[in-house]
Amino acid sequence: MTTQTGGYVTDVAYVAEFYGDHAPAHLNMTAAAAGYRPRPLDGPFTWCDYGCGNGITAIVLAGCFPQAHFYGVDFLREHITLAETLAVRGGLENATFLQKGFADLKPADIPPLDFAVMHGVLSWIDEPTRNAVLDDASKRLKPGGMLLTGTNAMPGWAAKIPLRNMIYSLTKDDVSSLERARVGLAWMKKLKDAEVKYFRDNPALAEAVDQLSRLDPRYMAHEYFNQHLRAFYFAELRSLMEPRGLKFAGSATVFLNMVDLAVPQALYDDFRTITSRAELEAKRDFIRNEAFRRDVWIKGDTIQTEQEWMDINLPQIFGSLKPLELIDKAVAFGDVQLSYDGEPFEALLKAVTQRGTSIAHMDKIPGIDSLSPMTRVDAARLMAAGGDIVAFARETVPAKTGTKYSIPAVNRGLIKELGLKLPKVPLAAVHAGTGIEMPNIDAVLLLALVDKGAAQAVAQAQKVLTADVGDIVIGGKTLSKSEVTAFLTDRLKTLQSVWLNKLIEIGVISVEH
C-alpha cells in the first residue's frame, strides 16, 4: 500500500535552490545532442516538478516563459506555501502548485506534459510511491516529452549507505530530522577525527563528512533520514524507465556524454568500441564513481539521418551567465583537463559571453565563420561541458547600461522574499530562459540600484539589511556602520563594473529608455 509520503522526511523543509539543468533549454540541448527532437519553446508548453520542494526552479522558469505553464507537486505544506507566496509576489499566473502525494494525483490535476523533472525523489521514497510517480509522469508526457531524474548513484554511495544506516539507527524516530542530522554529523566527525578503520578503508568518506559540515543541515536531514533510501546503478534505472516507454538520451551533466572527457585516456580505445549507450553507462558507473546521477529520458524515438541531426542541433543557442573575465579557461574533469585557450575557443567565448547565439548564426563570428557546421557544434558542446557556457532558450543582444532600470516582478518578489533568508538568491534570466543565483547582498544591492538609483543604492541596501538582520557580520567580525557603508560601496562598484551588462543582457534587469 502506498502512503502519501512514501517514507519521505516531512518534519523539516528542504533547502531552497535553483537547478539550471531543469531548464527546458538545457533538456533540449541534451536531447538534441543524442539525436532526439527538442520540444518547441516559442509557444505554449507544460513542465512539472514532481517533489518540487519550495518551488524555486518552477518560479524562476515561470518568470522566463509567460506563455508556458509550470506545475509543482509536493506533500509538504510548508513547501507549497512558500512556492505559492513567491508566485503571488512575482505576479505569476502560469505557476500552479499542488500539495499532494504522488499516488493521489488525478488526471485533471496536470495536463499532458512536455517536460517533467524529479530531483532526488526516486531515491527518497518507497517502491510503491516510486512506481506511482513514474507511472504518473510517463502517462502524462506527450510523445517526445522529456523526463529528468536526479538519483543517488552506485557505486558512489556504496560506502555511504552503511554509514547512513548506522547513524539512522543511532537516533530516535521521535526526534526531529534536523536534530537527527546534527547528532549524526557530530558522530561522523568523531569517527573521522579518530581515523577509525572504516574511514581508513574508505578515504573518500572523510571528504563527504567535510562537505556535509559545510552544507545546510536540512540537506543532510533529507538526504540521510528518509525512511527508505535507495541508490541506483544505471541498469536499475533503465529497467524502471524502458517498460514505461522512456529511452535514455544522456546525462544532464554535459561532459559525461563525451568519452574524451568522461573516461581516462588509457580507456579511450575500449570505450570507442562500445556499441550501446547502456553498456557505456554501466561501465562509466565505476569509472566516475558518481554519488548522484542526472539522467534525461525521452518518450519517443531518435531521428534517422545525419541531416536531421544537424537540423536539430544548429538552432541550439549558447550563452553565458557570467562576464568573460570570470570565465575559467582551464577546467578539470577528474583526470582529464581541458583548456579554452587558443582558437576557436577564444573567439567563441568572446562572442557568446556578449550575447546568446545559435550554432547556425556562429558562422557570422570572426574566427568561427570558417568552421564547418559540425565543428561549430562540437566546439559549442565542449564549451558547455565546462559549465560556464549554458543553453539559452533565446538569442540575446549585447547590453548597454543606462541611468534608470526596471526589474521583472518575479525577481523583485524573489529578492524581497528570499534576499535575507538565503546566502544566494535565484533570479530569472528572462531573455535566456534560465536562472542565475546571486549572493544575497548583491541581490539586495541590485534591487536598491533599480529602485533608488546609483547615488542612493548603498544607503537603501544598508537600511534594508540592518533593519531586518541587525548587525552585519563578515568573516566573524561585526561591522560598524561606516564599515558596512564601505563594504556595500565596494560591492556596488563591482556589481556595476563587472556584472551589470551581463544582468541586462540575460534579462535579470532591464534598462528603461
Side-chain angles (χ1 to χ4, degrees), residues 101-129:
F102 302 135
D104 300 322
L105 288 169
K106 306 300 182 187
D109 286 338
I110 303 169
L113 294 170
D114 293 280
F115 303 96
V117 298
M118 302 174 185
H119 180 83
V121 168
L122 297 180
S123 289
W124 298 338
I125 53 180
D126 60 21
E127 185 175 358
T129 311

Side-chain angles (χ1 to χ4, degrees), residues 463-511:
K463 178 181 177 182
V464 170
L465 291 168
T466 54
D468 281 77
V469 300
D471 291 338
I472 294 179
V473 180
I474 300 206
K477 177 186 176 184
T478 300
L479 303 187
S480 66
K481 183 177 180 180
S482 61
E483 287 173 328
V484 172
T485 300
F487 173 74
L488 292 177
T489 299
D490 286 342
R491 294 291 285 255
L492 180 63
K493 287 179 180 177
T494 300
L495 184 65
Q496 291 178 297
S497 62
V498 176
W499 279 98
L500 203 56
N501 280 346
K502 176 55 65 178
L503 298 176
I504 295 167
E505 178 225 328
I506 62 178
V508 173
I509 63 172
S510 299
V511 177

